Amino acid sequence: AQSVTQLGSHVSVSEGALVLLRCNYSSSVPPYLFWYVQYPNQGLQLLLKYTTGATLVKGINGFEAEFKKSETSFHLTKPSAHMSDAAEYFCAVTPASGGSYIPTFGRGTSLIVHP
Amino acid sequence: NAGVTQTPKFQVLKTGQSMTLQCAQDMNHNSMYWYRQDPGMGLRLIYYSASEGTTDKGEVPNGYNVSRLNKREFSLRLESAAPSQTSVYFCASSEAIFATNEKLFFGSGTQLSVL
């Protein structure tokens, strides 16, 4: 069975500072990995995803994530935070094989950006 | 571009009342899902429909029923609402549950309070 752990329910940064949101997965086979963002009073939307190939994945709004198999991690980063990045971020995994690709979501990390 | 549309956006119920949450997508997707979102719990899958005519239980199906009315519509019914069902409910869709790399498209959610 697959699972995903997001370290830190809240992360607080200053505007212009580095954003680092952590995600670790547990799976016998490296899964497909996703980051979704949820802005206030909205549904989730995809930021980026990793399936195969290049381990550094670039997404929308300047975010990127790196798949590290040895660390079973898929951390999300952004060099410089903007006020508009304040939102809830969810890491998700789906199995890379097995027939059904229903994603399992982490518990979410709320990003707070201070002026 | 409507995407995934959920109604209603807000609802207050008394314990024991019933209601149906409606969801429709206009992207010709085969698979549809119902999630609930609770603070600190992330998104948990209630039911899903891999294709028209099929439905299956997710992680937390107790107290809910679903109907895949046609390819576009997937409704969630609470037969006898309980306070533990106070939550934000999200409907989502994807092209195909059995396809790799598929991202989910989410509606904007229904905020349900059961008193």
Side-chain angles (χ1 to χ4, degrees):
Chain A
Q2 59 190 9
S3 66
V4 59
T5 301
Q6 292 183 240
L7 294 176
S9 59
H10 295 82
V11 170
S12 182
V13 300
S14 299
E15 193 173 19
L18 172 71
V19 175
L20 171 61
L21 305 181
R22 299 177 186 273
C23 173
N24 288 89
Y25 68 88
S26 174
S27 175
S28 56
V29 176
Y32 297 136
L33 295 148
F34 304 77
W35 275 100
Y36 286 82
V37 60
Q38 182 184 27
Y39 297 107
N41 301 313
Q42 296 185 27
L44 282 70
Q45 56 184 282
L46 184 71
L47 263 182
L48 51 79
K49 67 180 180 182
Y50 169 78
T51 54
T52 58
T55 56
L56 182 62
V57 181
K58 295 186 184 298
I60 60 173
N61 301 336
F63 283 93
E64 62 182 35
E66 185 171 12
F67 170 63
K68 292 188 176 180
K69 183 178 177 181
S70 61
E71 298 178 8
T72 61
S73 68
F74 191 57
H75 301 331
L76 182 70
T77 61
K78 182 174 180 178
S80 177
H82 295 160
M83 296 296 291
S84 59
D85 293 327
E88 189 90 14
Y89 291 81
F90 292 92
C91 184
V93 298
T94 65
S97 62
S100 174
Y101 299 96
I102 304 172
T104 299
F105 287 86
R107 296 191 173 191
T109 298
S110 178
L111 177 64
I112 302 163
V113 182
H114 297 287
Chain B
N1 295 336
V4 179
T5 303
Q6 290 182 236
T7 56
K9 291 189 181 301
F10 301 95
Q11 184 71 49
V12 179
L13 294 177
K14 294 180 180 179
T15 297
Q17 287 185 317
S18 62
M19 79 160 295
T20 300
L21 280 63
Q22 306 287 352
C23 175
Q25 51 89 11
D26 63 0
M27 295 172 283
N28 201 37
H29 283 169
N30 289 295
S31 303
M32 299 184 73
Y33 314 79
W34 277 105
Y35 286 90
R36 60 178 288 174
Q37 182 181 28
D38 302 292
M41 299 296 292
L43 274 74
R44 293 181 292 171
L45 183 66
I46 305 172
Y47 271 92
Y48 66 97
S49 171
S51 60
E52 186 179 356
T54 69
T55 61
D56 284 286
K57 295 178 180 179
E59 180 184 356
V60 288
N62 291 345
Y64 305 95
N65 286 300
V66 291
S67 296
R68 184 73 182 268
L69 304 171
N70 47 56
K71 192 172 184 179
R72 290 186 65 247
E73 299 173 286
F74 188 39
S75 62
L76 178 71
R77 183 162 178 84
L78 286 70
E79 291 290 352
S80 179
S84 60
Q85 294 178 304
T86 294
S87 186
V88 181
Y89 292 85
F90 286 100
C91 178
S93 70
S94 69
E95 189 169 315
I97 204 169
F98 301 111
T100 61
N101 313 335
E102 287 300 315
K103 72 176 185 180
L104 268 60
F105 292 80
F106 284 83
S108 58
T110 296
Q111 191 165 331
L112 175 66
S113 294
V114 183
L115 306 177

